[in-house]
Amino acid sequence: MKREHSLRVVSALLVWSVLLSVGTRVEAQSLTWLGTLGGDLSLAHGVSADGAVVVGGAHNANWQWRAFRWVAGVGMQDLGTLGGDRSEAYGVSADGAVVVGWAYNASGRDRAFRWTSSGGMQNLGTLGGDFSYAYGVSADGAVVVGYAFNANGQRRAFRWTASGGMQNLGVLPGGVRSEAYGVSADGAVVVGLAANASSQVRAFRWTSSGGMQDLGTLGGNSSQAHGVSADGAVVVGYAFNASGNGRAFRWTSSGGMQDLGTLGGDFSNAYGVSADGAVVVGYAFNANGQRRAFRWTASGGMENLNITYASLLTSGSWLDIAFAISPDGRYIVGEGSNAATGRWEAYLLDTRTAFRISGNLQLRDYTGDPAQVPITVQLRQNGSTVRTETIYTDGSGNYSIPNVQVGTYDVAFKASHWLRVVVRGITVHNDVTGVNASLTNGDIDDDNEVTLFDFGQLVTAFGSVPSDPNWNPNADLDGDEEVTLFDFGVLVRNFGAMGDE
């Protein structure tokens, strides 16, 4: 049993050390301007699940527009073309390994592509016409969606797989045009726009069983869908209302099309949505007619990212458009104005809301290994415990509590025969360090007081070692694996002490 406990301790310490060694990219909220390929402009369309890979388009030093794949710690990579001089990336798989978009071929024709590091840029062909464009990819990179021209020069939404090639998804009844922009995590649900019999453009949601469904509008005559949740149940885009103003929307089968509002202006457009459908990003105009990136949630409504994350922006910089969001809602990418470089530039915004509390815990009057002592931690808010877990320190007493949500907490520490200590009023809006505590020894009966009851238990265990029938590990206050007069000394020194409630 002792060996198993030691293994658990070692595992906990390894996890603890890994958490401390994570790079600064994930340590706090941050805004990273991604630069260019040597030119004056870049914008980001997609981000991997962990925020480590971003894709989009950028000018190179020759003013050619090129698809890029940016990797944290590495920088921006030009993905090339299909023989021409232009390309742009729009979608990326969850692991960042597969990138999709469009590129010119040697004849100057646009072709949808699927890129991997091992295979390079693969031409996905067309539906019989001259052009094709890829905009979305499934989480595993196996399904690609976009639109291509058929032999009659008509645009058709497509769904591509390696085994099935490019599948024409058809049109709405009586229509002649469709384009796909988003796909669910498993590749089963496709969203985009299609013209109806009256030549009005409508947002659609496609499945193999149900075909192409018109999602309607907000009272106007047109709409289009850009993004879809992981399970395909939530669709986002923009639609015109009865007044002829475009509004970002969030659609569900039960609630229909919900107007997400604006930032005070007359237009908004949604591009991306988190995996669970709860967080939507895009752009909207404010009351001054300025275009600004937004994030929408049911509880917070539409917020201007430039206000929420103003502390991350240098004077004169702003986030113009949010094109995509990571599945967990943490990372947002798009285009903004970087005052430091004087150019429009792709950005990666880390909106991290879970942080780390760390510090040092001293187990007083103890000569044993503190790394083997389990410590119960409680996070409390407004008098209620919101989180309880067991942690271990390292050999010097250093500890870390990961994934703490933004808020103000009282942090309670309690180890087996030590009194509880509560550190109050810890406000978390970033990583918090220096939350230290010193725990008083002597609470053998674990009632958070050092009393005669503890004396009684120590007397019962006096003179014992772990192999003895009267052994009580809590009575071994100093941790030398023997209950002796030294333990009596600890108890006498701390007699009458009480822990925090």
Side-chain angles (χ1 to χ4, degrees):
M1 290 298 290
K2 186 174 180 180
R3 179 176 179 273
E4 291 177 0
H5 173 72
S6 297
L7 288 173
R8 288 197 298 271
V9 172
V10 170
S11 297
L13 289 175
L14 286 173
V15 171
W16 184 88
S17 64
V18 168
L19 287 171
L20 286 185
S21 68
V22 174
T24 57
R25 183 178 63 83
V26 297
E27 287 304 304
Q29 292 179 346
S30 63
L31 174 65
T32 304
W33 296 102
L34 304 186
T36 70
L37 291 168
D40 65 341
L41 175 66
S42 65
L43 54 86
H45 289 300
V47 59
S48 62
D50 63 359
V53 178
V54 180
V55 301
H59 274 146
N60 64 19
N62 296 321
W63 302 89
Q64 297 168 323
W65 192 244
R66 292 295 174 84
F68 75 77
R69 179 177 181 265
W70 177 94
V71 180
V74 177
M76 189 175 286
Q77 172 190 3
D78 184 337
L79 298 187
T81 71
L82 290 168
D85 61 3
R86 287 177 63 85
S87 61
E88 187 165 5
Y90 276 88
V92 61
S93 59
D95 64 0
V98 178
V99 182
V100 302
W102 60 266
Y104 279 6
N105 62 16
S107 301
R109 298 291 193 266
D110 297 306
R111 290 289 188 271
F113 74 76
R114 179 180 183 272
W115 177 96
T116 62
S117 59
S118 58
M121 192 174 283
Q122 175 188 3
N123 185 339
L124 301 187
T126 72
L127 291 170
D130 285 337
F131 304 96
S132 62
Y133 306 84
Y135 290 100
V137 62
S138 59
D140 64 359
V143 178
V144 182
V145 301
Y147 72 88
F149 285 77
N150 63 18
N152 296 322
Q154 299 166 322
R155 299 184 185 194
R156 291 289 187 270
F158 73 76
R159 179 180 182 273
W160 178 96
T161 61
S163 59
M166 191 174 285
Q167 174 191 1
N168 185 339
L169 300 187
V171 294
L172 292 171
V176 295
R177 172 191 174 194
S178 63
E179 302 171 14
Y181 291 107
V183 61
S184 60
D186 65 358
V189 180
V190 182
V191 301
L193 66 86
N196 61 18
S198 302
S199 297
Q200 297 170 326
V201 174
R202 295 294 175 83
F204 77 77
R205 178 180 182 273
W206 177 94
T207 63
S208 59
S209 58
M212 191 172 286
Q213 174 190 1
D214 183 339
L215 300 186
T217 71
L218 290 169
N221 59 14
S222 66
S223 62
Q224 54 186 272
H226 296 137
V228 60
S229 60
D231 64 359
V234 178
V235 181
V236 302
Y238 84 92
F240 284 90
N241 60 22
S243 300
N245 296 317
R247 294 288 189 269
F249 74 77
R250 179 180 182 272
W251 176 96
T252 62
S253 59
S254 59
M257 193 173 281
Q258 175 188 2
D259 184 338
L260 301 187
T262 72
L263 293 172
D266 59 5
F267 187 86
S268 59
N269 189 353
Y271 282 102
V273 61
S274 59
D276 63 2
V279 186
V280 182
V281 298
Y283 74 86
F285 286 90
N286 61 20
N288 297 321
Q290 299 166 318
R291 188 169 64 183
R292 294 294 185 263
F294 77 75
R295 176 178 59 190
W296 178 95
T297 60
S299 59
M302 185 177 288
E303 58 181 320
N304 185 336
L305 293 178
N306 295 274
I307 295 175
T308 303
Y309 300 101
S311 63
L312 302 178
L313 289 161
T314 57
S315 178
S317 298
W318 72 87
L319 307 180
D320 195 56
I321 302 176
F323 280 119
I325 187 169
S326 60
D328 63 359
R330 174 173 169 176
Y331 299 97
I332 298 172
V333 298
E335 175 191 46
S337 178
N338 183 358
T341 59
R343 63 194 178 199
W344 291 97
E345 205 166 314
Y347 68 81
L348 168 65
L349 175 64
D350 183 349
T351 69
R352 184 178 181 222
T353 57
F355 300 97
R356 182 174 299 120
I357 295 175
S358 62
N360 185 272
L361 299 177
Q362 290 301 310
L363 303 177
R364 291 167 55 185
D365 300 310
Y366 192 64
T367 61
D369 182 2
Q372 297 199 42
V373 177
I375 300 169
T376 300
V377 178
Q378 293 178 329
L379 300 183
R380 303 171 178 175
Q381 288 183 308
N382 301 316
S384 299
T385 299
V386 296
R387 177 176 168 184
T388 301
E389 65 181 82
T390 300
I391 65 171
Y392 291 87
T393 70
D394 67 6
S396 299
N398 300 309
Y399 76 91
S400 179
I401 308 170
N403 300 319
V404 180
Q405 298 298 310
V406 169
T408 299
Y409 301 89
D410 293 337
V411 185
F413 302 96
K414 179 73 171 76
S416 55
H417 48 82
W418 286 268
L419 300 178
R420 182 183 298 110
V421 172
V422 180
V423 182
R424 304 186 189 278
I426 302 301
T427 298
V428 177
H429 57 78
N430 215 317
D431 284 346
V432 180
T433 60
V435 181
N436 305 327
S438 179
L439 279 62
T440 299
N441 208 337
D443 181 23
I444 299 173
D445 63 358
D446 198 29
D447 66 352
N448 207 30
E449 296 181 58
V450 182
T451 67
L452 287 173
F453 295 105
D454 301 299
F455 261 109
Q457 292 204 14
L458 194 149
V459 168
T460 300
F462 188 73
S464 66
V465 296
S467 60
D468 293 334
N470 63 327
W471 168 251
N472 180 350
N474 279 357
D476 179 23
L477 298 179
D478 61 3
D480 64 355
E481 297 199 332
E482 186 177 3
V483 181
T484 68
L485 287 174
F486 292 107
D487 301 300
F488 265 107
V490 172
L491 198 149
V492 168
R493 278 195 301 276
N494 298 324
F495 185 76
M498 300 177 61
D500 298 332
E501 293 301 327

